[in-house]
Amino acid sequence: SGDVDQEAYFALCDNLNPKTGERLTPRQKDNRRVGYDFTFSAPKSVSVLYELSGDERVLDAFRQSVAETMTEIETEMKTRVRKNGSDKDRVTSNLTYAEFVHFTSRPVDGKPDPHLHAHCFAFNTTWDTTERRWKAGQFGDLKRDAVYWEAAFDARLANRLKGLGYAAEKDPK
């Protein structure tokens, strides 16, 4: 927990413990999957509202909604179990991830557009308390359920914004 500095981030990308420099997961392939990006985007109206009003409560509501959704995702994190003839997944309920909040979209013709969004980059590692070691994560179910996570985030954000006195309504599209 806490802030992620560049050195720690790159160590995790290299499958290394940022504190000890030791390898985290047992396997180290050249083409290993470093991690997975979970992206949460505020609706355009919220992005514009934040940009024009500067109401920091909107940003706080956004970040709290991201954090709560990532906490829910974390409870469903798994790793593979392949020892002694097993071929199953075990819930570990822990993730290692870094959050990056952005306020604009990629520029089109050199002009950025308001777009409040967060990338939560989850490293391909999880602590298996049963085996008492770091292992690669099993992200298949989490990524399969991306539509659910996006909807859960949207609902959380809408409820928080309503609590701040902003109107929120579901887009029928």
Side-chain angles (χ1 to χ4, degrees):
S1 64
D3 290 339
V4 179
D5 62 26
Q6 184 174 338
E7 187 176 320
Y9 182 85
F10 287 139
L12 289 165
C13 286
D14 291 334
N15 195 31
L16 300 174
N17 183 321
K19 293 182 180 179
T20 66
E22 295 175 4
R23 190 168 66 193
L24 285 173
T25 64
R27 292 189 179 92
Q28 181 70 17
K29 297 178 182 178
D30 288 338
N31 64 346
R32 70 182 275 279
R33 183 161 288 166
V34 173
Y36 297 82
D37 185 25
F38 293 88
T39 305
F40 302 97
S41 297
K44 182 58 125 182
S45 58
V46 175
S47 296
V48 171
L49 169 69
Y50 176 68
E51 179 66 25
L52 294 178
S53 72
D55 186 347
E56 290 298 318
R57 299 175 308 155
V58 173
L59 179 59
D60 291 342
F62 173 81
R63 294 199 69 193
Q64 289 170 12
S65 299
V66 169
E68 192 173 323
T69 305
M70 286 303 294
T71 297
E72 184 181 2
I73 289 171
E74 186 170 28
T75 65
E76 297 196 19
M77 183 61 191
K78 299 174 185 170
T79 190
R80 292 178 173 165
V81 178
R82 302 294 187 262
K83 285 189 168 191
N84 302 322
S86 288
D87 187 5
K88 62 182 182 176
D89 295 334
R90 177 174 27 244
V91 175
T92 60
S93 296
N94 65 78
L95 280 173
T96 302
Y97 73 93
E99 176 193 67
F100 301 94
V101 177
H102 299 281
F103 302 94
T104 60
S105 62
R106 289 192 177 118
V108 175
D109 295 327
K111 298 177 185 173
D113 209 26
H115 180 65
L116 179 58
H117 64 286
H119 296 274
C120 295
F121 187 80
F123 295 95
N124 189 11
T125 186
T126 186
W127 179 255
D128 184 342
T129 56
T130 301
E131 294 182 33
R132 303 196 43 75
R133 65 183 179 127
W134 291 99
K135 294 173 59 178
Q138 180 68 334
F139 284 82
D141 291 346
L142 296 177
K143 293 307 282 183
R144 178 200 66 210
D145 296 338
V147 172
Y148 167 79
W149 303 122
E150 292 167 17
F153 163 77
D154 288 343
R156 289 177 172 118
L157 180 59
N159 287 334
R160 283 189 169 88
L161 292 173
K162 284 179 186 176
L164 296 175
Y166 291 106
E169 56 187 59
K170 185 175 176 157
D171 186 346
K173 293 179 188 177

